[in-house]
Amino acid sequence: MDGMRRHGGWDDALAGVVARRGELVGYASLLVGERWAAQDLVREAIIRTFSRPRAWHDAEVALVAVRGQIMARFVRTRRGPLIARAASRLRGVDGQPPAATATEGPASAITGALWMLDRRQRACVVLRDVDRMATADIARTVGMDAAAVARALDRADTVLAAELSRDLRGAP
């Protein structure tokens, strides 16, 4: 009977994560840009998270683990740069947001500005501003020392401020 309850908790946690798949794809899109690449990243993260021998009883805890897998796969795999190169070929020009993110409003300006950053800077910004991680936690996640993370965030903040102020002024 206990095994049945644990299995039900695992199923409920998986169902809860899958129900929030769109949110996860949005999170992954901040990192990889193209929707197809974000969907692949989310699918792999869900599979990796739920294929490990762990009794998932809470969808919120499982969701955090899946987001951690998304970031880990983005930061640590060789596929991340391949996805970024493929996306840059698809959109034609490096430093421009993918066509899938071309919408109106502040969210599109922020997403576009994120694409002016290199991969590590983008990962650090997402971890700080979306996941609300401290510098030391970001450093552990991306495999950098805390001083390098602080420098990356400082450079990223400079680029983001310039890009967002340019966008607000309506400059091309």
Side-chain angles (χ1 to χ4, degrees):
M1 186 65 99
D2 185 50
M4 293 293 282
R5 258 184 270 141
R6 285 189 348 176
H7 182 68
W10 185 91
D11 286 346
D12 292 343
L14 178 59
V17 167
V18 170
R20 293 177 66 182
R21 188 171 176 274
E23 175 185 326
L24 292 168
V25 170
Y27 178 78
S29 292
L30 292 173
L31 301 168
V32 298
E34 300 295 330
R35 186 164 178 80
W36 62 267
Q39 289 170 335
D40 280 351
L41 193 56
V42 168
R43 185 175 22 264
E44 290 171 8
I46 290 171
I47 290 169
R48 187 161 175 92
T49 299
F50 282 91
S51 64
R52 292 186 175 186
R54 178 166 177 170
W56 295 106
H57 296 289
D58 184 345
E60 290 300 316
V61 173
L63 187 70
V64 170
V66 171
R67 285 174 67 144
Q69 282 294 324
I70 290 168
M71 184 58 70
R73 293 189 68 76
F74 173 74
V75 169
R76 294 188 180 105
T77 64
R78 298 189 63 83
R79 195 168 152 222
L82 294 175
I83 290 171
R85 278 196 301 274
S88 71
R89 282 193 301 272
L90 288 172
R91 65 182 174 262
V93 180
D94 285 332
Q96 294 298 313
T101 62
T103 59
E104 297 297 320
S108 68
I110 293 167
T111 302
L114 278 173
W115 279 90
M116 301 309 288
L117 306 175
D118 69 34
R119 290 181 74 246
R120 292 255 174 169
Q121 290 172 343
R122 192 165 56 245
C124 290
V125 168
V126 169
L127 287 168
R128 179 191 66 191
D129 295 340
V130 176
D131 291 337
R132 303 202 186 282
M133 282 188 172
T135 303
D137 296 329
I138 295 170
R140 278 191 296 279
T141 302
V142 298
M144 299 166 62
D145 65 42
V149 168
R151 285 190 303 273
L153 287 169
D154 186 54
R155 277 187 242 120
D157 288 344
T158 300
V159 170
L160 291 173
E163 284 301 311
L164 291 172
S165 85
R166 185 176 74 104
D167 189 61
L168 290 174
R169 287 192 314 260

